[in-house]
Amino acid sequence: MASITDRIDNVTRIPPAYLNAALPAPKSVKIEISPRCNYRCGFCALRTREVQPKWDMDFGLFKRITREMRDAGVGEIGVFYLGESFMNPRLLVDCIAWLKRDIEMPYVFLTSNASMAFAEALEECMKAGLDSLKWSVNAADEAQFERIMGVAPRLFHRALENIKAAWEVRKRGGYRTGLYASSIRYDGEQLDRMERLLAERVRPYVDRHYWLPLYSMGAFATLREEQLGYRPTAGNQGRLGALREPLPCWSAFTEGHVTAEGKLSACCFDATANWTMGDLTRQSFMDAWNSESFVKLRAAHLRKNVSGTVCENCIAYS
């Protein structure tokens, strides 16, 4: 099985067949099981929502669109997008089971902040066939956690406990779920503190850890990022060690992004429906994937001139 970083690189690398405005089905799609999150991270696009959504994805809609995706050739489904999927563990497990058992999706993956991932839910996810579970670990201690994640420090310890629990659950049950972790690579003293935490509390309980740059989250979180004292990288260029050029942005070419409301977005950081390209409650996945608005946006990316489009204000292009 390909490593998690190989899979990430394969999605962020736009192959020649995908350097067109109208495209075949994407390699991968992320679907927002729950748009809610118990963190209020200063660097996250979710902070830009004036009103936090209350409704999770309808399971009937999830089943319909994922069957369409499977029929169209999508091979990887992420059961998350911007929210924290463990906010609704029952729905999360049902979605994984549907994907693996009913439509035989080759690869199902999940990213989580770990704080809500209690052992019973972890085991049900693994039992249902989850292929990959990645933890986001972005604070070195209680003080930084409270300042950046914006929530009580007790969740810092709970997340680390759950990361260890997942390792133990997998070992005890003999499950094949890959366990991984990623962290934002800060600078200087902060990086040293992160390295100590990772060495003691994270790397012993994952198969691999890798670093990410501080993303701009579609340019909307820039002010908050400046307040936190960290400079974001342009757009979403992938992981450190395999960064991509900002234009054309791979997010609009090789990976689909679906909100809990069923909107197809062109951006991997779209918390405000600013990049909506289609409505899957009213049209098929492939009709939305090659909608007129999406085709026009991709054409602008291919010209490497996104002025006048919804992407023109992204920090990647300013």
Side-chain angles (χ1 to χ4, degrees):
M1 182 181 290
S3 70
I4 187 171
T5 48
D6 287 340
R7 289 185 178 277
I8 293 169
D9 296 347
N10 286 337
V11 170
T12 62
R13 181 191 304 112
I14 306 176
Y18 279 76
L19 288 173
N20 296 289
L23 296 173
K27 303 174 182 179
S28 175
V29 179
K30 291 177 181 174
I31 303 175
E32 193 170 48
I33 303 302
S34 174
R36 299 171 292 131
C37 186
N38 61 322
Y39 282 13
R40 298 288 292 159
C41 298
F43 53 77
C44 184
L46 286 179
R47 288 188 66 97
T48 64
R49 287 174 170 166
E50 293 183 4
V51 178
Q52 294 303 311
K54 299 178 176 63
W55 296 100
D56 298 333
M57 172 161 274
D58 176 76
F59 189 43
L61 175 63
F62 179 88
K63 291 194 288 186
R64 197 209 88 209
I65 64 175
T66 52
R67 186 177 288 281
E68 291 175 356
M69 292 170 190
R70 182 76 172 110
D71 292 343
V74 174
E76 302 180 7
I77 295 287
V79 280
F80 73 102
Y81 175 26
L82 295 175
E84 170 54 56
S85 296
F86 278 104
M87 295 289 286
N88 191 336
R90 180 70 269 163
L91 178 60
L92 173 60
V93 172
D94 288 345
C95 288
I96 296 168
W98 161 261
L99 291 170
K100 296 303 294 184
R101 300 171 187 171
D102 290 85
I103 63 173
E104 299 181 336
M105 185 61 63
Y107 190 75
V108 179
F109 62 105
L110 171 63
T111 292
S112 168
N113 66 34
S115 68
M116 303 287 288
F118 57 95
E120 293 85 354
L122 286 166
E123 182 150 27
E124 289 302 310
C125 287
M126 293 181 187
K127 194 181 298 183
L130 182 64
D131 294 287
S132 169
L133 175 54
K134 189 202 76 172
W135 309 116
S136 290
V137 183
N138 296 309
D141 52 38
E142 284 187 358
Q144 188 194 25
F145 181 88
E146 187 172 20
R147 181 166 63 93
I148 292 184
M149 280 65 198
V151 290
R154 68 177 182 276
L155 293 180
F156 172 74
H157 298 287
R158 185 184 299 171
L160 293 172
E161 291 165 1
N162 289 342
I163 290 171
K164 181 179 179 181
W167 184 264
E168 294 171 345
V169 165
R170 186 181 70 171
K171 181 178 180 180
R172 183 174 63 246
Y175 303 112
R176 61 181 184 83
T177 305
L179 295 173
Y180 309 99
S182 69
S183 304
I184 293 171
R185 191 178 182 90
Y186 302 103
D187 297 322
E189 180 186 350
Q190 168 59 19
L191 177 59
D192 294 337
R193 289 159 53 213
M194 282 296 301
E195 284 285 7
R196 288 195 295 272
L197 175 80
L198 294 170
E200 295 174 6
R201 304 292 301 277
V202 178
R203 288 196 180 107
Y205 307 113
V206 296
D207 301 315
R208 181 164 185 179
H209 170 271
Y210 60 95
W211 294 100
L212 297 172
L214 179 57
Y215 298 134
S216 65
M217 295 287 181
F220 285 126
T222 303
L223 177 60
R224 177 62 175 163
E225 288 156 357
E226 290 175 353
Q227 292 170 346
L228 291 170
Y230 303 111
R231 174 63 179 171
T233 189
N236 183 348
Q237 297 179 53
R239 68 179 184 90
L240 289 175
L243 294 178
R244 310 302 182 191
E245 290 296 320
L247 283 175
C249 180
W250 63 267
S251 177
F253 289 79
T254 58
E255 185 172 78
H257 304 92
V258 181
T259 71
E261 295 178 331
K263 301 297 195 299
L264 178 67
S265 176
C267 182
C268 48
F269 300 132
D270 190 6
T272 55
N274 194 56
W275 285 269
T276 297
M277 297 290 121
D279 185 349
L280 300 186
T281 67
R282 299 182 179 183
Q283 59 192 143
S284 71
F285 174 72
M286 287 305 297
D287 283 346
W289 181 245
N290 284 316
S291 65
E292 181 180 358
S293 57
F294 216 160
V295 168
K296 286 182 178 179
L297 180 63
R298 291 194 193 105
H301 276 249
L302 291 169
R303 293 192 301 269
K304 297 191 176 183
N305 181 3
V306 294
S307 59
T309 75
V310 292
C311 297
E312 69 176 343
N313 292 323
C314 182
I315 192 172
Y317 321 125
S318 60

